Amino acid sequence: MNKVPSEARVFARELLKNLKLNGDTKVWVFPPFVSLSVVKEIFTGSEFVVGAQNVHSQRSGAFTGEVSVPMLKDMGIDHVIIGHSERRHVFGETDQFINEKVKVALSEGMTVILCIGETLDERKNGKTFDVLKDQLTKDLEDVKIEDPDKLVIAYEPVWAIGTGVVAQPYQAQEAMAYVRERLGEMYSKDRSEKISCLYGGSMNKENCQELFLLPDVDGGLIGGASLKLDEFIEIYKTASKFC
C-alpha cells in the first residue's frame, strides 16, 4: 500500500525512462488497485507487465470493496498475486479461499503468482517443508496446469519479509528445491522445471546476486527495494546477468 496514483505515475515514467529491458529478464509491476489504470497506460507499448496485488474468488456479486477477475481483465490486467503472506496473516485468508482464487484466475487465462512460505515459529520447529507441502497441496487442489507459464511460485519466508533479515542462500535453496520437488510430484518433473520460482523476502541490491545464483531461483518478488528506483534498477541488472 505505497504510492498514491500521482506518485505511481511519476515512478512509472521514471522506471520506463531509466530501465531498458533486454534479453529474457522480465519486469512485472504490481501497483495498488487505484493506480493500476495509471501505470498500465504508461507502460502500454512497452515490455513492462502490470499486474494486480490481489483478487476475489467470485466473478461478481455482493462483495463490497473487492475486485474481480473480470474487472481486472477488462482493464487489460492479466497477472495477479495470490496468497501473499500479508493476505494470509494480516487478513486471515485461508488456503481454501486462496485455492478458489487460483482456480478462477487461471480459468480466465490469467497468470498467477502464488505466494507460499513459513513463519518464524514454523521454521524454528522444523516445519518448513510441512508448511510448504500443505500450502502447495491445498492452494493447488484440483488445479490443472496446462501452460506452466501461467503459474509462478513465490517462496517468501514470512520471517524475512520487511524485517531486513534475508534467508541464507542454503535456506532459500533447500526450500525452493523442495517446492520444485513437490510440484514434480503433483504434476510432472518436466512441468515443474518449467514453472518459474521466485524468492521473496527482503531481497535488495546487496544480497540479490547470491540468491539469483541459486539453481532453483528464477527471479525475485521484490518488496521494499522496488520502491527505490536506483536500487530496483541495480537488482534488475544483476538478474539479467544471473537468472
Side-chain angles (χ1 to χ4, degrees):
M1 196 168 65
N2 290 286
K3 298 192 184 299
V4 299
S6 59
E7 294 171 324
R9 178 182 291 109
V10 172
F11 187 85
R13 285 174 176 167
E14 288 297 306
L15 188 61
L16 185 62
K17 182 173 71 174
N18 291 286
L19 179 54
K20 306 304 179 185
L21 302 185
N22 57 73
D24 297 326
T25 306
K26 302 173 183 177
V27 173
W28 299 352
V29 181
F30 297 84
F33 286 130
V34 295
S35 298
L36 278 176
S37 59
V38 170
V39 177
K40 177 68 175 176
E41 180 181 359
I42 291 170
F43 286 151
T44 296
S46 75
E47 295 183 7
F48 288 87
V49 171
V50 181
Q53 296 179 4
N54 188 33
V55 74
H56 198 268
S57 64
Q58 299 299 311
R59 290 177 170 83
S60 64
F63 302 98
T64 302
E66 292 295 327
V67 174
S68 69
V69 168
M71 290 175 180
L72 295 176
K73 295 280 290 182
D74 192 67
M75 295 174 65
I77 303 297
D78 295 312
H79 294 64
V80 62
I81 295 173
I82 295 178
H84 191 280
S85 62
E86 290 157 10
R87 299 305 312 177
R88 294 176 186 266
H89 299 288
V90 178
F91 298 100
E93 293 190 1
T94 65
D95 287 303
Q96 180 181 349
F97 189 35
I98 290 167
N99 174 246
E100 292 170 357
K101 292 183 180 193
V102 170
K103 286 191 285 192
V104 70
L106 289 175
S107 72
E108 294 285 345
M110 297 194 78
T111 297
V112 170
I113 297 83
L114 174 63
C115 299
I116 59 174
E118 80 282 8
T119 65
L120 181 58
D121 285 343
E122 288 166 341
R123 173 163 280 276
K124 285 182 175 179
N125 291 323
K127 295 182 178 180
T128 295
F129 292 167
D130 293 336
V131 171
L132 296 179
K133 179 179 180 179
D134 191 55
Q135 290 177 339
L136 283 172
T137 301
K138 292 179 179 177
D139 297 348
L140 296 176
E141 184 177 1
D142 297 324
V143 172
K144 295 181 180 179
I145 306 299
E146 303 296 339
D147 181 358
D149 289 339
K150 292 294 185 180
L151 178 66
V152 176
I153 303 297
Y155 168 63
E156 43 168 18
V158 180
W159 46 274
I161 298 174
T163 62
V165 177
V166 65
Q168 293 297 313
Y170 78 89
Q171 294 174 313
Q173 173 55 28
E174 67 179 7
M176 297 187 74
Y178 178 79
V179 167
R180 207 175 295 275
E181 178 185 343
R182 179 62 186 149
L183 289 170
E185 294 171 353
M186 296 173 65
Y187 299 105
S188 69
K189 182 178 180 181
D190 178 66
R191 188 64 53 89
S192 72
E193 291 175 350
K194 293 179 180 178
I195 294 174
S196 292
C197 292
L198 312 179
Y199 173 81
S202 296
M203 183 183 281
N204 54 49
K205 64 181 180 181
E206 279 77 33
N207 60 38
C208 64
Q209 179 173 326
E210 60 183 2
L211 292 165
F212 288 148
L213 284 169
L214 298 175
D216 286 297
V217 174
D218 301 311
L221 184 67
I222 316 299
S226 69
L227 300 173
K228 304 169 186 175
L229 185 64
D230 292 343
E231 180 158 7
F232 183 70
I233 290 173
E234 288 302 313
I235 294 172
Y236 171 81
K237 290 178 178 178
T238 302
S240 65
K241 292 178 183 177
F242 299 106
C243 283

